[in-house]
Amino acid sequence: MTRQEQKRASPQTRRRGDALVQSIHEAALAELAAVGLGRLTMEGIARRAGTAKTSLYRRWSAPHDVLLDAIRDEHPQEVASPAADDLRGDLLRALRQLVAWLGTPTAAAVAAIMAERRRYPELARALYERVFDARGGRFTLTVLRFYAARGHIDPARITPIVADLGEALVFKLALDADAPPSEEQLVAIVDQAILPALGLDPARRSGKS
Amino acid sequence: MTRQEQKRASPQTRRRGDALVQSIHEAALAELAAVGLGRLTMEGIARRAGTAKTSLYRRWSAPHDVLLDAIRDEHPQEVASPAADDLRGDLLRALRQLVAWLGTPTAAAVAAIMAERRRYPELARALYERVFDARGGRFTLTVLRFYAARGHIDPARITPIVADLGEALVFKLALDADAPPSEEQLVAIVDQAILPALGLDPARRSGKS
DNA sequence: CTTTTAAGATACGTGTCCGTATCTTAATCG
DNA sequence: CGATTAAGATACGGACACGTATCTTAAAAG
């Protein structure tokens, strides 16, 4: 056993550098979920992260700064690639992905900031500038554009309202029920709202025969 | 000049009874809008109402109680009566009414509670029980049912998703822009989303010729 | 190994809010 | 008018968080 191995055998008690920052980020998101924006404190984040306030103040001047960094680090986002010949399936996949994201601590943080954007305008602005552009990240828009480019959809149908449909309904359902929409509800969103709005109404097509 | 008129001539400095409660209610809603649920305090409400904490504690034990009473008192709601032969116009009227309500302090309070329902479940529950049933108050549903009963709409089209469409889009637009949707946007919601979902697609109808 | 770095622990004065207690006094009642 | 009621003002001890300062010590560097 070399001296290096002996050193490894003793359990580490302190986190340093990136490991510590990662822990603090996770703690910030969890603390936000627990207490909300108005009650987010350095003491709370530090307590939850199991670290000292000094470690936080060495890097950030306020809890909102910690939160923004946490969101940015946890936010990497990939939108599913459309299949090419299954509009309905791809819309469903996109909505499922949205629902999956809604279950993350990051989504909860983004929602909290959006909900209180009038009270914390600087925070909301910083979210846009430092994390994402507000109009980006539409899960269904990628799919719609993909199929319009291939001639499956009349491009004139892809208006801002139609592009917003899927997300608006998912958010509303989630808010009303305080639970993610079911697969059945996602299917209903696609079949009863999105496709009709695109001029591809399943109820009308089956009624053709 | 009688003694009663003399008494009226001296400016009153204190509010009593209902007048005081009304002031406190308004203050509670305004304070909530300013600081949010997490920072709503008795001291804040009292300060804003220009009264003493004792006056609050004589009636309520916590700021959330004040808030609930304020919402209930300010919440009376009337949905516009449909016209009978103007589905599109009535849907627009209903959406305008929703937008008008969204501009009230009460709506902001309801939104705040809904946004933080996971952090304040008791408060959210009390909102449902003491103020309104969660599934009530759908602005467009009254219109849809009215026209279905008259045969203008296939009742099978009025699914929960379709019933939710208008409100979901209005909420999303308002949230994204931090401003009420414009009249043009309301028109787009009706023409591009609601009517197609009802099988009454304007774009398809005009394409008939 | 020693030195350096930064993580962690704690103290401190200040400010805000809580909920209760006490008192003064405007407004209403009889 | 006097008596009663409740509105308003203020004090108080305790809890919590702030941001800064100081010190100890684990971990990394050389």
Side-chain angles (χ1 to χ4, degrees):
Chain A
M1 187 182 289
T2 66
R3 283 188 172 244
Q4 203 172 14
E5 286 171 336
Q6 280 177 338
K7 196 175 274 186
R8 287 232 183 102
S10 69
Q12 293 202 336
T13 62
R14 288 179 180 179
R15 297 149 299 184
R16 287 175 80 92
D18 287 349
L20 178 64
V21 170
Q22 173 75 7
S23 295
I24 292 169
H25 282 174
E26 285 167 11
L29 292 173
E31 186 68 8
L32 175 73
V35 305
L37 265 184
R39 290 174 181 262
L40 190 67
T41 63
M42 284 308 220
E43 298 223 8
I45 297 171
R47 193 185 303 117
R48 191 174 285 262
T51 194
K53 277 197 300 186
T54 40
S55 295
L56 264 64
Y57 279 114
R58 285 193 188 107
R59 295 167 172 78
W60 300 282
S61 55
H64 290 174
D65 295 332
V66 190
L67 185 63
L68 281 170
D69 275 3
I71 294 174
R72 190 180 50 196
D73 277 4
E74 304 279 313
H75 192 63
Q77 190 67 36
E78 292 254 341
V79 180
S81 308
D85 58 353
D86 184 10
L87 171 62
R88 184 169 176 278
D90 280 336
L91 286 171
L92 276 171
R93 266 183 286 277
L95 291 183
R96 278 189 214 114
Q97 199 174 17
L98 171 59
V99 168
W101 178 68
L102 280 182
T104 66
T106 311
V110 170
I113 295 173
M114 297 299 286
E116 303 210 59
R117 66 188 298 173
R118 286 191 176 176
R119 283 186 281 273
Y120 306 98
E122 295 298 330
L123 181 58
R125 186 175 301 115
L127 183 68
Y128 287 137
E129 293 172 359
R130 294 164 56 182
V131 180
F132 61 89
D133 179 73
R135 294 300 159 82
R138 294 206 200 175
F139 290 76
T140 49
L141 188 56
T142 306
V143 174
L144 297 182
R145 283 193 176 138
F146 178 86
Y147 280 91
R150 284 175 145 70
H152 294 275
I153 304 173
D154 175 5
R157 288 285 194 161
I158 310 186
T159 64
I161 294 295
V162 176
D164 248 354
L165 256 186
E167 290 182 22
L169 283 163
V170 166
F171 291 159
K172 181 114 186 347
L173 291 177
L175 186 69
D176 284 347
D178 193 25
S182 64
E183 180 68 19
E184 282 179 339
Q185 285 173 316
L186 297 188
V187 167
I189 290 173
V190 171
D191 291 341
Q192 294 165 19
I194 302 182
L195 291 179
L198 294 173
L200 307 168
D201 191 341
R204 215 168 185 98
R205 283 168 171 272
S206 60
K208 246 184 181 179
S209 58
Chain B
M1 188 183 287
T2 66
R3 283 191 169 239
Q4 205 172 11
E5 288 169 338
Q6 280 176 338
K7 196 177 273 186
R8 288 232 183 100
S10 70
Q12 294 200 332
T13 60
R14 289 180 182 180
R15 297 148 298 182
R16 288 174 80 90
D18 286 351
L20 179 63
V21 170
Q22 173 75 9
S23 295
I24 291 169
H25 281 174
E26 285 166 11
L29 292 171
E31 185 69 10
L32 175 74
V35 304
L37 264 185
R39 290 174 182 265
L40 192 66
T41 64
M42 286 305 223
E43 297 222 10
I45 295 170
R47 195 185 301 117
R48 192 174 285 261
T51 193
K53 277 198 295 183
T54 40
S55 297
L56 265 63
Y57 280 114
R58 284 193 189 107
R59 297 167 171 78
W60 299 283
S61 55
H64 290 174
D65 295 333
V66 190
L67 185 64
L68 281 171
D69 275 4
I71 294 173
R72 189 180 51 196
D73 278 5
E74 303 280 315
H75 192 64
Q77 191 68 34
E78 294 253 342
V79 180
S81 307
D85 58 354
D86 185 12
L87 170 62
R88 185 170 175 276
D90 279 338
L91 286 172
L92 278 171
R93 267 183 286 277
L95 291 183
R96 280 189 212 109
Q97 197 173 20
L98 170 60
V99 168
W101 177 69
L102 280 181
T104 65
T106 311
V110 170
I113 294 174
M114 297 299 285
E116 304 211 56
R117 66 189 297 175
R118 288 192 176 177
R119 283 184 280 275
Y120 306 99
E122 296 298 329
L123 182 58
R125 187 175 301 117
L127 183 68
Y128 287 137
E129 292 172 359
R130 293 162 58 181
V131 181
F132 62 87
D133 178 74
R135 294 298 159 80
R138 295 207 196 172
F139 290 76
T140 50
L141 187 55
T142 306
V143 174
L144 297 182
R145 285 200 175 131
F146 178 85
Y147 280 91
R150 285 177 145 65
H152 294 274
I153 305 172
D154 175 5
R157 289 284 194 158
I158 310 184
T159 64
I161 293 295
V162 176
D164 246 355
L165 256 185
E167 290 182 17
L169 283 163
V170 165
F171 292 157
K172 181 114 186 350
L173 291 176
L175 187 70
D176 285 346
D178 193 26
S182 65
E183 180 67 18
E184 282 180 338
Q185 284 173 316
L186 296 189
V187 168
I189 290 172
V190 171
D191 291 343
Q192 294 166 20
I194 301 182
L195 291 179
L198 294 173
L200 306 168
D201 192 342
R204 214 169 185 103
R205 283 169 172 271
S206 61
K208 244 187 182 178
S209 58

